[in-house]
Amino acid sequence: MSMFKKVLVSDDLECINEGVVSVLHGMKIEHITQVAYCDDAFLQIEKAILDNEPFDLLITDLSFVADHRSQKYPSGEMLIRELKEKHSDLKIIAYSVEDNLQKVRTIMLQCHADAYVCKGRHGLKQLAQAIEEVYGEKHYLSPQVANAIRKKMAIEISDYDIEILKLLSQGFIQKEISSNFTQNNIHPASVSSIEKKISKLCDHFKAKNTTQLVAIVKDIGLI
């Protein structure tokens, strides 16, 4: 079968790159470029477009260890968001150890990545499957994070909601959450607004109280 011709791999761990490259070679993809910085990935993609030899696919990690070199794009998330805004036709696969469902939702729904693959025991096998799915104009999620965008999660869980849930999980009561939001310039910060939001979240997740709500969202990986 036909396949991507030119792929860019962005990861600062050489051992990870070697595994990804082996998968690409196994799929008969010969034109592979490797970089260790998101800024280099961005420049490589821009230069390839100017040279009229664009990359078909980017496979990038999300977390990069900071060093002496200042970066415009210090994370894979920022890189994906910027590239998809500029070049929406570029296919991008996030390949990360992070399996938090809210992070997956952000990468897929806000940054518009085409696939999210979790590094791990079955990571390379799932990566190969993701490459095939994305080539076929489909999206792919590793099984362990597939619930991130299931229909039951259709409600839009915002950063505001996540902050409330995190503070609830730390034992904050509504009045304390209100004070925290006021101090951190998060709005709406009124006790009544927070109370209504918690009530809606309880209804959505079918939780009888905030303790059960926190247990549920932790169980599905939202916090």
Side-chain angles (χ1 to χ4, degrees):
M1 61 175 288
S2 56
M3 183 47 65
F4 293 114
K5 303 296 184 186
K6 190 176 181 183
V7 179
L8 177 63
V9 180
S10 179
D11 198 304
D12 57 359
L13 293 179
E14 188 175 338
C15 59
I16 298 295
N17 276 344
E18 289 175 357
V20 173
V21 169
S22 70
V23 169
L24 296 172
H25 281 157
M27 302 178 82
K28 309 302 182 185
I29 300 171
E30 297 181 359
H31 299 286
I32 304 165
T33 301
Q34 302 176 59
V35 295
Y37 294 90
C38 289
D39 282 26
D40 290 347
F42 184 85
L43 292 173
Q44 285 277 356
I45 287 168
E46 291 293 298
K47 183 178 184 301
I49 291 172
L50 289 175
D51 293 342
N52 204 28
E53 296 178 346
F55 285 96
D56 306 309
L57 172 67
L58 166 67
I59 300 172
T60 182
D61 193 3
L62 298 181
S63 303
F64 290 75
V65 177
D67 60 15
H68 64 281
R69 180 173 164 181
S70 177
Q71 297 290 305
K72 182 178 180 182
Y73 305 105
S75 71
E77 179 178 335
M78 292 178 66
L79 175 67
I80 294 169
R81 191 186 298 269
E82 178 72 10
L83 286 173
K84 277 294 188 177
E85 285 180 0
K86 292 194 69 176
H87 312 294
S88 60
D89 56 337
L90 173 66
K91 301 299 184 184
I92 301 179
I93 295 175
Y95 187 45
S96 173
V97 296
E98 296 189 58
D99 58 4
N100 179 281
L101 296 196
Q102 184 62 17
K103 171 63 71 173
V104 179
R105 284 172 60 79
T106 297
I107 297 299
M108 296 298 292
L109 302 180
Q110 296 180 24
C111 300
H112 306 293
D114 298 279
Y116 195 108
V117 179
C118 295
K119 294 177 180 177
R121 182 179 299 176
H122 304 293
L124 292 176
K125 182 178 178 180
Q126 292 170 7
L127 179 61
Q129 186 176 350
I131 292 169
E132 291 182 357
E133 293 291 323
V134 170
Y135 183 78
E137 298 295 332
K138 298 177 183 177
H139 289 89
Y140 178 88
L141 292 174
S142 284
Q144 59 266 49
V145 295
N147 286 340
I149 52 178
R150 64 184 174 180
K151 290 183 179 179
K152 189 176 179 182
M153 290 287 288
I155 180 176
E156 200 51 49
I157 305 297
S158 66
D159 291 340
Y160 178 83
D161 300 332
I162 294 297
E163 284 303 313
I164 290 177
L165 292 168
K166 283 181 179 177
L167 292 176
L168 284 175
S169 74
Q170 294 168 23
F172 282 56
I173 62 174
Q174 293 171 10
K175 187 175 181 181
E176 292 170 332
I177 294 174
S178 174
S179 297
N180 181 281
F181 280 11
T182 299
Q183 291 171 9
N184 291 286
N185 201 29
I186 299 173
H187 301 288
S190 68
V191 173
S192 61
S193 295
I194 291 166
E195 183 180 6
K196 288 177 183 176
K197 176 57 72 174
I198 292 173
S199 178
K200 286 184 178 179
L201 289 168
C202 282
D203 287 344
H204 175 71
F205 290 105
K206 295 181 171 56
K208 295 178 181 178
N209 50 48
T210 54
T211 301
Q212 188 179 23
L213 173 63
V214 168
I216 291 170
V217 297
K218 277 188 174 180
D219 187 52
I220 64 176
L222 273 180
I223 60 173

